[in-house]
Amino acid sequence: MDAMKASEIAHALYRVRGDRAEYEAAQREQDFTAAGNEEEAGYWRAIRGSIRRMRGANES
């Protein structure tokens, strides 16, 4: 997944879930890691990072 797509998904998730979005992305990352699907876990890791950056920008 490219950075642009991760950012789009992150923005959509953050709009719907607000501050809970980062937790949900982390949970999905953990679920996919536990299932052995590192590729999908990596997607969620990127989405989580994008959410974290958005939250940091919003807190300034």
Side-chain angles (χ1 to χ4, degrees):
M1 172 182 305
D2 64 22
M4 186 67 118
K5 185 67 175 173
S7 180
E8 289 173 9
I9 293 170
H11 277 86
L13 188 58
Y14 192 73
R15 266 194 311 275
V16 173
R17 299 291 187 204
D19 288 336
R20 187 162 170 77
E22 186 177 353
Y23 169 80
E24 290 189 21
Q27 187 62 52
R28 289 184 185 189
E29 175 189 350
Q30 189 174 47
D31 292 345
F32 282 111
T33 298
N37 188 339
E38 283 301 319
E39 183 177 6
E40 195 70 27
Y43 296 156
W44 285 101
R45 195 172 302 113
I47 292 166
R48 182 180 179 200
S50 185
I51 292 168
R52 181 173 286 157
R53 286 187 295 279
M54 278 190 298
R55 289 183 68 200
N58 289 338
E59 293 173 1
S60 298

